[in-house]
Amino acid sequence: VRWVTDEGLAVDVATGGELAVALAAGVDPSRLGLHGNNKSVAELERAVEVGVGSIVVDSLIEIERLAVIAERAGRHGESAQNVLIRVNTGVHAETHDFLATAHEDQKFGFALAAAPAVAARIRELPSLRLVGLHCHIGSQIFGTAGFAESASRLADLYAELRAGGDLPVLNLGGGFGIAYTSVDEPTPIARLAEGIVDAVVEACRLRLRPI
């Protein structure tokens, strides 16, 4: 965790244990994001208590549960808990089928068509603040094509929701491949970053107007 923060990066955690490790390493809680489906009440309470920067919500039940926890903690107005909606873009990543997590029929997050109603519900809750969208197309991904297609699909939704209020974060997830075996040829991180940025810029150029 210290290696990551020393590089100037933020940290994602997906369990109470990972959150505890990050805090023990001295990470500024505002630089943490909490992911994961089926988060426990205790995990959500701890995240709100320490001031985790954003929580990626994965279900309607979780949204309602988190809203109650944040309200009980006095989080409203400027101190409302920041959340991102996890969206399934339907992109099948360039990876093994068992590692692809953005299929429309899988258990993580919301389908694209459902996301506007989810966003509207979050914006009704005074203890939560919608700050962006998140998607994750899989793990052990080589190349940028999957990220580019996912960004393209997410851009229409982003444009629609941005018209209803500030939406500063568009998080396209991770899952970059590494060399598990001698035959694996990971895409260099600089090339991945360049390809994803180019895809986002093009998607936004085609769909978004300044507001």
Side-chain angles (χ1 to χ4, degrees), residues 5 12 19 24 28 32 45 54 61-62 96 105 113 156 160-161 171 182 194 207:
T5 54
D12 285 344
L19 175 58
D28 178 355
L32 294 174
E45 287 176 338
S54 62
I61 291 174
E62 182 173 81
H96 192 288
D105 61 349
D156 288 326
E160 178 182 349
L161 297 184
N171 186 332
S182 59
E194 182 178 303
R207 295 169 174 84

Side-chain angles (χ1 to χ4, degrees), residues 11-174:
V11 177
D12 285 344
V13 297
T15 66
E18 291 182 359
L19 175 58
V21 168
L23 294 173
V27 178
D28 178 355
S30 69
R31 298 279 292 164
L32 294 174
L34 177 63
H35 289 254
N37 67 329
N38 198 30
K39 304 177 191 70
S40 70
V41 170
E43 288 169 335
L44 292 173
E45 287 176 338
R46 181 60 173 159
V48 171
E49 176 190 2
V50 301
V52 162
S54 62
I55 297 176
V56 181
V57 292
D58 210 81
S59 69
L60 290 171
I61 291 174
E62 182 173 81
I63 291 168
E64 301 300 331
R65 182 179 295 159
L66 178 59
V68 170
I69 292 170
E71 181 65 32
R72 195 162 56 228
R75 302 288 294 274
H76 48 77
E78 290 300 314
S79 67
Q81 175 62 56
N82 291 337
V83 299
L84 287 82
I85 300 172
R86 179 165 181 171
V87 181
N88 299 331
T89 57
V91 173
H92 292 236
E94 303 149 350
T95 185
H96 192 288
D97 281 348
F98 291 143
L99 298 178
T101 57
H103 300 182
E104 291 286 359
D105 61 349
Q106 56 86 40
K107 63 185 177 181
F108 302 102
F110 300 93
L112 277 165
V118 174
R121 177 55 183 154
I122 293 171
R123 284 170 167 165
E124 291 174 346
L125 297 165
S127 61
L128 303 182
R129 178 188 298 112
L130 179 63
V131 296
L133 303 174
H134 167 75
C135 68
H136 186 88
I137 63 173
S139 300
Q140 194 61 0
I141 301 168
F142 299 104
T144 62
F147 293 108
E149 178 61 25
S150 187
S152 177
R153 297 186 186 190
L154 205 57
D156 288 326
L157 172 63
Y158 180 81
E160 178 182 349
L161 297 184
R162 182 171 174 259
D166 191 30
L167 204 68
V169 180
L170 183 61
N171 186 332
L172 295 176

